[in-house]
Amino acid sequence: MWNVLLSFSGLVALIQLVFLPFFPESPPYLLLQKGDKPGCLKAMKQLWGEGNYLTEFDDIMKEKAITKGTKIMNVLEMLKESSMYPQLGTMLLILLSLQLCGMSATANLQESIIPYVSLGVAISELISLIFCSSIIDRFGRRILLWGGYLLMALILTLLEISLLLSDQFLWMRYGSVILIFLFIIAYGLGP
């Protein structure tokens, strides 16, 4: 029944995918990234109900004024900045936990190939990390979450099918590995 357990995370992703479009975009994102003041106020009313949100709006405007002269760093600049080390350490810890989660064991491969699969998992994590950090400011968290969960649900469905057929077609095991890599990239882009 391990394949049902593996599919459970896809069910959770599907539930979140269904409800995510009904939530408003983040007010700070709308104001700071998009410059949409009416959209920001509308999102505040949707999130917190009717009321006067002038104080919260002013706080976001102050944050916008403070960050106006701040330069957005790329990945290499961030790695050189010592004040970012605690955040990078946390991110590496999350990546390590994903590395040790056992996803590569689900493909039912020969033991001699598993180190290469683990290397592929690490490379997939690195690709998703670099790609996501490059596009998050452009698209925003909501689109990345929605797209990430949609991709994860699709990939987990395909992974379940490939695992069910892996005894009949040996090449499906390698397809499962590719799907695992894609799942990790989708996870890194969204959730």
Side-chain angles (χ1 to χ4, degrees):
M1 299 285 296
W2 62 266
N3 51 352
V4 175
L5 184 62
L6 179 65
S7 300
F8 183 72
S9 61
L11 178 65
V12 173
L14 186 63
I15 291 169
Q16 291 180 5
L17 181 66
V18 167
F19 287 106
L20 189 62
F22 298 106
F23 290 105
E25 192 66 71
S26 164
Y29 170 76
L30 288 171
L31 187 61
L32 299 175
Q33 300 292 331
K34 298 286 188 178
D36 184 7
K37 291 179 184 180
C40 175
L41 290 171
K42 181 181 175 188
M44 285 179 174
K45 286 180 183 176
Q46 283 180 310
L47 287 170
W48 300 318
E50 290 296 325
N52 186 3
Y53 302 109
L54 190 57
T55 307
E56 290 84 359
F57 187 79
D58 287 342
D59 288 343
I60 297 172
M61 290 300 287
K62 288 176 188 174
E63 182 181 343
K64 183 176 183 177
I66 291 170
T67 59
K68 191 172 188 175
T70 305
K71 179 186 171 204
I72 297 175
M73 296 188 286
N74 62 29
V75 176
L76 291 176
E77 292 171 338
M78 194 170 61
L79 289 174
K80 293 177 185 175
E81 184 66 38
S82 63
S83 66
M84 298 301 259
Y85 290 162
Q87 292 88 342
L88 288 172
T90 303
M91 191 167 45
L92 286 174
L93 184 64
I94 292 170
L95 290 175
L96 182 62
S97 66
L98 187 59
Q99 178 73 20
L100 298 174
C101 74
M103 279 292 281
S104 50
T106 63
N108 197 17
L109 295 170
Q110 297 171 345
E111 195 171 321
S112 61
I113 297 175
I114 296 214
Y116 299 108
V117 174
S118 294
L119 179 64
V121 167
I123 290 171
S124 299
E125 291 168 354
L126 184 64
I127 288 170
S128 68
L129 176 71
I130 292 170
F131 190 61
C132 183
S133 65
S134 303
I135 64 170
I136 195 166
D137 288 332
R138 186 173 189 186
F139 295 107
R141 289 183 184 97
R142 182 177 186 180
I143 291 174
L144 291 181
L145 276 172
W146 195 80
Y149 281 127
L150 181 65
L151 281 173
M152 286 171 58
L154 176 67
I155 291 168
L156 284 174
T157 303
L158 293 173
L159 182 60
E160 180 70 24
I161 292 168
S162 71
L163 289 173
L164 289 173
L165 297 174
S166 66
D167 290 335
Q168 296 172 353
F169 305 102
L170 290 178
W171 61 269
M172 282 294 236
R173 293 178 181 178
Y174 298 102
S176 299
V177 172
I178 292 169
L179 289 169
I180 289 169
F181 294 161
L182 291 175
F183 176 82
I184 292 168
I185 291 171
Y187 176 80
L189 289 177

